[in-house]
Amino acid sequence: MARLPLEGIRIIDCGHVFAVPYACGLMADMGAEVIKIEGPGRLDITRDGPFSGVHADNRPGADPWNRTANFNLINRGKKSMVLDLSRAEGREVLKDLIRVSDVFLESFTPRVMRGWGLDYPNMKQLKPDIIMVSNTGYGPGSGPYSQYPAQATTQEATHGLAYVTGYRGGIPSKAGQSFVDFLASWACLMGTALALRYRHRYKKGLWIDVGMYQLGCYTVSEYILDWLANRLLGERLGNRHPSKAPQGCYPCAGDDQWCVVSVRDDEEWAALCRLIGKPELAQEVRFATHRDRLAHHDEIDGIIAEWTRSLAKFEAMERLQGAGVPAGAVFDARDVNLDPHLRSRGFLETLRFPPERGIGERAIIGRPWRLNKTPLAVRGPGPALGEHNHDVLQGILGYSDARYADLEQAGIVATRPTQLRPLAYMEMDERVRRGRLAYWDPDFKRRLGTEEDEPGAGVPRVVRPVPRDPP
């Protein structure tokens, strides 16, 4: 059996939400022993907060904090230890764990680790070759934003992306998902790999300081350079593009079905004209060049939309791609889960939870890359809260039964939360009616090829929201 790249590496995950936890989940896929630490009164908000997603089968059960979708996706394959770091006794336990670990990742604001005496200079005193990865919003230091909490939704504004996102003449807009969290995940992962290489070669530890704000700036680097070179500011273009025409998102047959078309040059424009049955358009003076097409873009949009409206979005994509015209059907979450290309790449993996978790078999997102000689796989479900307290404290740290009991009695370690955010349970149909979901598909398990649905549940049904009053 092939050895995994991070076998033998012990990692402490003190991150929250997406960036650090997802990086650590990928490291667990690669063989690392990852210990996720949460406080009894401070759960990761993917367990019970606004980013938790839906509970398995929309049933919160007796332990809703162990059943949320996002927690189990991001924290797959980890161990869970619940430790109250707000108390000195909890931090002493953490120090013991640092002494026997290789990598420590955290996403607190800079003052927290410093206030606990666990910033990198102090952590090196505990273990000289420890690798520390700090993921913060704006990075530590003396800059005016250093103490701001990391929140992708506001960072999109300050790193410049919101300014160039939105429709011409409209207000700056958020760019869909908070993707800078995932850029930070890759940066934490790459930084850890770099530091392990450095430690292997020089026998020294390293501190990786990841500022999400700076990662976001790279997404608008051409606009930053344009201002430096030409004193030009970018502009909001909606679905248009400064160097491609036509470029747009066009309606297809059905409700809320779309296909993106992006033409790079005259040859692709001519191919598009032939495909839609109007080859003469390629010779028309008003559409002859890129500049001409930009000037008459609204007119071209109408011509393309007239053609796409008669086609399913997948057929439109396939016919356009077949003709050499770049195009992509707009996928929703169901399309992504059922996409044959992603399945051919092994992107979705099937994972079975232990029977006592009552979650059964689930399809879970794997990794965005593959290694040719080392097949990787998700190595286990997200852990139940405090599931590995004994394993870590007694198996790894060698604490006695009496010391473990004392910690448990004092509430330093726990297996149930002491505080929970209010549970906002809602039936699936109600989620749709309120516009929280576009629709839901009761037949999703059969479509994914996991557990069979109950008899009678296999009839495809799509529930859509009622229109809401405009704000």
Side-chain angles (χ1 to χ4, degrees), residues 395-444:
I396 295 175
L397 297 181
Y399 285 9
S400 66
D401 290 344
R403 186 173 181 186
Y404 183 90
D406 288 345
L407 289 169
E408 197 169 47
Q409 180 68 29
I412 303 298
V413 300
T415 54
R416 295 183 67 85
T418 57
Q419 295 181 38
L420 274 177
R421 297 173 182 86
L423 179 65
Y425 177 77
M426 207 180 296
E427 294 287 347
M428 296 301 284
D429 288 354
E430 183 63 18
R431 292 175 190 271
V432 176
R433 278 192 287 273
R434 294 193 182 194
R436 301 292 297 274
L437 293 175
Y439 62 86
W440 78 286
D441 183 353
D443 203 21
F444 72 96

